Amino acid sequence: MYDLTVIIPTFKEEANIRTIITEVDAVFRKNALNGEILVVDDNSPDNTIAIVNELKGTKTNVNLLVRTSDHGLSQSVADGFLHASSEIFVVIDADMSHPPALIAKMYDEIRAGNDVVIGSRYMEGGGIKKWPLKRRIISLGATFLGRLLFPEITDPVSGFFAIRKNVVAQAQLKPRGYKILLEVLGKGVWEHDKEIPFEFSDREIGTSKLKIKTIIEYAQQVADITLYSFVHHQSAAWREWKKVFKFGIVGISGIVINQGVLVALKEYAGFSIPVASICAIQLAILNNFLWNDTWTFKSKGQPQRLSSRWQRLVAFEAVSLGGAVINFAILNAFVMFLAMDYQIANIIGILLGFIWNFFVNRRFTWVTKRT
Ligand SMILES: Nc1nc2c(ncn2[C@@H]2O[C@H](COP(=O)(O)OP(=O)(O)O)[C@@H](O)[C@H]2O)c(=O)[nH]1
Ligand SMILES: [Mg+2]
């Protein structure tokens, strides 16, 4: 039994495989780790397999899994999970895009109690070297979609991560495409996660295998994880949905307060409608803020990025204003340009305002501090 297994998915990596294995093995020795290296190859037509077999002769901790069906990166990593001989898995690309030295740190963080440790390109201290604009845009798009499911995680589609075996032991993974981490986060069982910044450097040798099909598969994957979370309530994505529901309930309480205060001030206090409305809206915002701050987004011990309640209130006010502007703009635009019924247009406006309010608040007002 090993301390950890480093899973290296490969397809046509004859130019890189020797280097990555040597470097990972050096990290093991430097940190006195009893580590396994598991290369999962999709039956590469080049010399990858021959080189790994040659290295297996001198290093007893190197293992090779050659797959002949269901070709794919995510499928290969998931197969690696099944064949690994340890309780802690690290996944790393073969092309030296990920710094092997971080493996030791990831291992330590798992030992310290984290279930998932992610090498992040998008947190402070991380980055991407030498990527063409097109790759950057695609990656940012994928990251944005992933963050809708996991708003706390800066890089939910990173290819460099570590997990405890029991995160995926019972999970019904449906691996496809490139983003195995999103699948693990969406369907695995985990509570504590940690991100470590790193600088991604694009491969020097060989070619990338990213295709258009990959992007379509990714969108399907996000939809699939969303549906899965509705049925599997122990999944992390369900934790987010619960927040959406609570936010919605709070929103409805705000509507009741807004209406009630408006009527009370107009009918019984003799306020003019504009003044009564401004007071009613303010009270509703305050009501929503307090419920969201103490209930919807109650943090379990982790410090918030906006540490004082006043800061969060100011942020919430600003975001709410944006939501109101969206509601107003949609209502008027749909009535004017689409001749839509104003009540339907308003409901669409309210819904879009709600989506804005939830996601922007989730990302900026109530987000835990990542260190
Ligand atoms: N087993 C397997 N590995 C793959 C496949 N596609 C890519 N890889 C490996 O996954 C890692 C990342 O692939 P790469 O083409 O560098 O993707 P990029 O870094 O996103 O451009 C590398 O180690 C590849 O050899 C595949 O279909 N099967
Ligand atoms: Mg690469």
Side-chain angles (χ1 to χ4, degrees):
M1 198 65 161
Y2 293 99
D3 294 335
L4 77 162
T5 301
V6 172
I7 298 170
I8 311 176
T10 54
F11 189 62
K12 295 199 274 185
E13 293 288 3
E14 63 182 6
N16 296 305
I17 189 65
R18 192 185 296 275
T19 314
I20 183 80
I21 289 180
T22 313
E23 297 248 345
V24 171
D25 205 37
V27 171
F28 288 165
R29 260 178 286 128
K30 182 160 174 242
N31 297 277
L33 290 170
N34 179 20
E36 171 188 27
I37 296 175
L38 177 57
V39 177
V40 187
D41 186 80
D42 262 332
N43 206 8
S44 298
D46 66 356
N47 279 319
T48 308
I49 294 173
I51 295 169
V52 177
N53 277 325
E54 178 206 318
L55 290 169
K56 271 172 68 175
T58 51
K59 300 182 199 294
T60 54
N61 61 338
V62 174
N63 286 311
L64 171 65
L65 176 65
V66 178
R67 307 172 73 251
T68 49
S69 62
D70 193 23
H71 182 108
L73 173 53
S74 289
Q75 292 92 319
S76 298
V77 173
D79 252 4
F81 294 158
L82 296 177
H83 287 83
S85 314
S86 73
E87 301 286 325
I88 296 174
F89 310 153
V90 180
V91 179
I92 190 169
D93 283 359
D95 58 4
M96 296 304 290
S97 292
H98 306 143
L102 274 192
I103 291 172
K105 183 134 187 257
M106 290 178 154
Y107 175 79
D108 288 344
E109 289 291 352
I110 294 270
R111 292 298 305 265
N114 289 295
D115 303 302
V116 180
V117 179
I118 300 169
S120 170
R121 299 162 293 177
Y122 295 120
M123 73 191 291
E124 214 182 299
I128 298 175
K129 266 192 295 207
K130 290 195 306 189
W131 247 16
L133 187 64
K134 186 178 146 217
R135 279 304 294 271
R136 281 177 196 271
I137 291 172
I138 292 174
S139 173
L140 279 176
T143 307
F144 176 79
L145 266 185
R147 280 185 187 175
L148 295 181
L149 292 171
F150 308 104
E152 302 273 342
I153 296 177
T154 63
D155 200 349
V157 294
S158 175
F160 188 26
F161 61 92
I163 57 168
R164 223 183 266 287
K165 179 182 185 171
N166 53 21
V167 170
V168 290
Q170 311 289 330
Q172 298 156 32
L173 301 182
K174 203 197 272 181
R176 85 213 92 174
Y178 254 53
K179 309 302 185 190
I180 183 67
L181 175 58
L182 197 78
E183 191 74 12
V184 168
L185 292 172
K187 299 186 177 170
V189 177
W190 57 275
E191 187 142 3
H192 303 291
D193 70 293
K194 169 94 188 169
E195 287 187 289
I196 301 174
F198 81 99
E199 178 136 83
F200 183 97
S201 39
D202 203 8
R203 59 169 67 243
E204 305 274 345
I205 323 171
T207 52
S208 164
K209 290 117 200 163
L210 185 97
K211 299 188 209 75
I212 282 291
K213 190 170 137 245
T214 317
I215 300 172
I216 296 167
E217 281 177 333
Y218 178 67
Q220 287 172 339
Q221 186 186 5
V222 171
D224 177 58
I225 289 173
T226 307
L227 293 179
Y228 182 95
S229 69
F230 276 122
V231 190
H232 297 84
H233 292 177
Q234 81 282 28
S235 65
W238 180 251
R239 293 203 284 270
E240 279 308 303
W241 282 113
K242 281 203 295 204
K243 295 193 173 81
V244 175
F245 298 141
K246 288 179 174 178
F247 196 79
I249 292 168
V250 170
I252 289 169
S253 82
I255 292 173
V256 172
I257 290 191
N258 188 341
Q259 187 81 358
V261 172
L262 178 72
V263 171
L265 292 180
K266 159 97 179 33
E267 301 297 331
Y268 304 107
F271 282 41
S272 69
I273 290 180
V275 175
S277 171
I278 287 174
C279 297
I281 289 173
Q282 258 319 307
L283 274 173
I285 288 180
L286 264 179
N287 166 81
N288 291 11
F289 175 76
L290 287 174
W291 281 107
N292 284 326
D293 203 51
T294 53
W295 183 52
T296 314
F297 298 112
K298 184 177 187 304
S299 83
K300 296 193 198 80
Q302 303 105 314
Q304 301 263 17
R305 192 176 57 100
L306 299 180
S307 54
S308 101
R309 180 164 277 180
W310 289 109
Q311 288 175 317
R312 297 196 292 274
L313 177 60
V314 170
F316 185 71
E317 287 269 1
V319 176
S320 302
L321 187 65
V325 168
I326 289 174
N327 184 346
F328 177 85
I330 293 283
L331 165 63
N332 286 285
F334 283 16
V335 169
M336 251 190 278
F337 301 119
L338 304 178
M340 192 183 272
D341 179 86
Y342 79 95
Q343 294 200 31
I344 295 175
N346 194 36
I347 287 174
I348 296 173
I350 290 172
L351 269 177
L352 290 177
F354 177 84
I355 291 171
W356 158 274
N357 281 345
F358 181 82
F359 283 114
V360 180
N361 277 311
R362 182 67 179 99
R363 284 282 297 140
F364 296 102
T365 313
W366 287 285
V367 65
T368 57
K369 204 158 147 192
R370 309 290 296 186
T371 46

